[in-house]
Amino acid sequence: MFGLPINLEKRIPGLDLARSLAIFLVVFSHSLWISENYPPLVKWLMHFTATIGVEIFFAISGFLIGKIVYRLIQKEDFSFQDVREFWKRRWFRTLPNYYLVLLINILLWYLIYGKIPERIGLYFVYLQNFFSHSPDFSRISWSLSVEQFCYIIGPVLLYLFIRFIPSINRKKLFLGITCGIICVVLLIRFWFHETHQLASIYEWNENLRKVSMYRLDAIYYGFLAYYLYVNFPISATLTKLLFVLGILGIFTLHLFIFYWGISFETHPGFFNVLYLSLNSVSICSLMPYLFTITITSRKVLNAVTLLSVLSYSIYLLHYTIILHSMKVLVPSDHLEGIPLLVYTLLYWLLILVFSYLLYRFFERPMTDLREKK
């Protein structure tokens, strides 16, 4: 498919569809940086679709990584070597692309602004936004930091308990560690609410939503969803009901609350403590149904699969490299109407082209190396 060795038989169409939707929502939202002159409805949608897209990525990642970790700890001879092997496979998948794009970002930043970005060393160890919001440089990397620390914390805690209490029930341990992390992060967000005063949703976005220590539960809702999925099989009817409830939850959180006048200014506690968790639960409710989805049209299936496969490269490139460079070369803040539409479509086309090249000639070859180690 487009020169890529993708085995469609091993793909899960529903998850690919969710990933494709997620990356589209992120790119669609960040397109607002091109210009503020989009039609009012389009601009309004752009303001919150990135949040939905990123949270979908968190849920899917948590579900799939939770599946790997859950199966890993069931091994009778489970050891720290298994944890290292898990990290090796994850890091061959994520780190080479991240570091390549990070170095390109640093070079572009220097060429454009004549200086090295502040706190640049922290980006190499994903600490740029662990305790506070990251600088203006490489803003999209905040979510990657959340994921990386989730890959570390959960498996290490599971290993330590199994190492020192070998007879422990490993299924219950998985559930306990997962729920424990979720509860701890909820308490930390409650502490944040009690000790911090934020003036706007923008400050909330920068100082809570994009700070790792307040978001480590995001992946673990996916862990919890997998545990429930594998241990409590449900009927097709209940699967569809959960899907409907999940969709209603997402729409309620992102559309209806504004109609009801629920804003950060009026209900900061809801946004600080509950909003993100409810969002994760709503998205995770979709998971069982996603596994039942089939796509009969070959063309649609190919398009969805390709977008899903390219999603990581798209996420890394779309904002701080492609759009930033375009705006420097051809300023766009003044655009409206047809010129704005053309600029936006060109931006999306460049994203697809460069993401394809990055995946085909770097991401995929680097990922394949893990099978040779």
Side-chain angles (χ1 to χ4, degrees):
M1 183 171 63
F2 297 98
L4 301 178
I6 299 173
N7 186 348
L8 293 176
E9 300 299 323
K10 294 183 178 181
R11 308 293 301 184
I12 301 174
L15 292 186
D16 282 334
L17 182 62
R19 282 196 201 92
S20 300
L21 176 62
I23 196 61
F24 170 76
L25 292 175
V26 170
V27 171
F28 176 72
S29 179
H30 288 163
S31 298
L32 185 59
W33 192 33
I34 295 174
S35 171
E36 288 282 341
N37 297 322
Y38 288 99
L41 177 59
V42 173
K43 188 165 68 172
W44 180 70
L45 290 170
M46 284 176 166
H47 274 296
F48 63 84
T49 51
T51 299
I52 305 174
V54 172
E55 299 304 318
I56 291 174
F57 277 126
F58 281 154
I60 294 174
S61 180
F63 193 93
L64 295 178
I65 297 304
K67 175 181 177 180
I68 295 171
V69 173
Y70 183 81
R71 292 180 174 180
L72 194 64
I73 65 172
Q74 305 304 320
K75 294 174 57 178
E76 289 187 9
D77 60 346
F78 172 70
S79 68
F80 196 70
Q81 177 61 34
D82 296 302
V83 177
R84 289 200 298 266
E85 180 66 18
F86 163 74
W87 286 338
K88 185 194 81 170
R89 294 185 65 82
R90 291 311 306 161
W91 288 338
F92 263 105
R93 168 73 177 84
T94 59
L95 294 189
N97 235 17
Y98 173 73
Y99 286 131
L100 175 64
V101 173
L102 178 61
L103 291 173
I104 295 172
N105 257 320
I106 294 171
L107 176 61
L108 287 174
W109 191 272
Y110 183 79
L111 292 174
I112 294 170
Y113 301 108
K115 60 181 181 180
I116 298 296
E118 60 178 302
R119 295 162 54 187
I120 190 60
L122 298 180
Y123 284 86
F124 286 89
V125 288
Y126 291 97
L127 285 173
Q128 70 273 16
N129 64 301
F130 194 85
F131 296 108
S132 62
H133 69 84
S134 58
D136 290 336
F137 174 76
S138 190
R139 301 302 300 277
I140 54 92
S141 64
W142 72 269
S143 64
L144 306 178
S145 173
V146 173
E147 291 211 19
Q148 291 298 331
F149 281 102
C150 288
Y151 297 158
I152 296 172
I153 294 171
V156 166
L157 288 175
L158 288 165
Y159 166 74
L160 291 175
F161 272 91
I162 293 171
R163 172 70 176 79
F164 292 105
I165 314 176
S167 61
I168 196 168
N169 185 304
R170 297 185 184 185
K171 290 184 179 181
K172 292 181 179 179
L173 175 64
F174 182 90
L175 178 62
I177 293 293
T178 298
C179 292
I181 292 173
I182 290 173
C183 290
V184 167
V185 177
L186 278 171
L187 289 174
I188 292 174
R189 287 210 296 266
F190 180 76
W191 166 82
F192 178 94
H193 173 66
E194 293 294 311
T195 57
H196 292 70
Q197 295 292 326
L198 303 179
S200 65
I201 193 69
Y202 174 80
E203 290 189 8
W204 171 84
N205 196 53
E206 294 297 305
N207 295 285
L208 189 145
R209 188 177 79 87
K210 295 183 178 181
V211 176
S212 294
M213 67 178 294
Y214 306 126
R215 300 306 322 281
L216 292 176
D217 60 334
I219 300 294
Y220 291 101
Y221 282 105
F223 273 51
L224 180 59
Y226 177 75
Y227 177 87
L228 296 174
Y229 176 78
V230 75
N231 285 287
F232 301 94
I234 57 177
S235 66
T237 300
L238 186 53
T239 295
K240 293 177 182 178
L241 177 60
L242 284 174
F243 183 81
V244 171
L245 291 175
I247 293 294
L248 287 175
I250 293 169
F251 271 87
T252 298
L253 288 169
H254 296 94
L255 294 176
F256 297 152
I257 59 173
F258 298 104
Y259 176 78
W260 293 328
I262 299 176
S263 65
F264 179 82
E265 289 74 16
T266 59
H267 297 80
F270 171 76
F271 281 89
N272 287 338
V273 182
L274 296 177
Y275 166 77
L276 293 167
S277 294
L278 292 174
N279 202 21
S280 295
V281 170
S282 296
I283 295 169
C284 286
S285 298
L286 311 178
M287 289 293 173
Y289 185 73
L290 291 177
F291 280 85
T292 70
I293 291 177
T294 58
I295 300 175
T296 56
S297 169
R298 191 72 173 188
K299 291 182 179 180
V300 173
L301 179 61
N302 285 342
V304 166
T305 303
L306 180 65
L307 196 57
S308 174
V309 167
L310 298 182
S311 60
Y312 184 47
S313 289
I314 291 174
Y315 190 76
L316 289 173
L317 291 176
H318 79 281
Y319 193 53
T320 53
I321 289 187
I322 295 178
L323 186 51
H324 197 172
S325 299
M326 285 181 67
K327 286 180 67 70
V328 169
L329 295 172
V330 184
S332 60
D333 292 337
H334 64 286
L335 294 178
E336 56 184 294
I338 298 300
L340 177 56
L341 175 62
V342 171
Y343 194 102
T344 304
L345 293 177
L346 176 61
Y347 167 51
W348 292 355
L349 177 61
L350 290 175
I351 290 172
L352 290 174
V353 170
F354 283 103
S355 298
Y356 172 83
L357 294 174
L358 178 61
Y359 178 83
R360 181 172 182 179
F361 297 108
F362 187 77
E363 181 182 340
R364 181 61 185 255
M366 293 303 297
T367 302
D368 289 343
L369 283 178
R370 67 187 183 183
E371 307 299 337
K372 302 175 183 179
K373 296 296 182 179

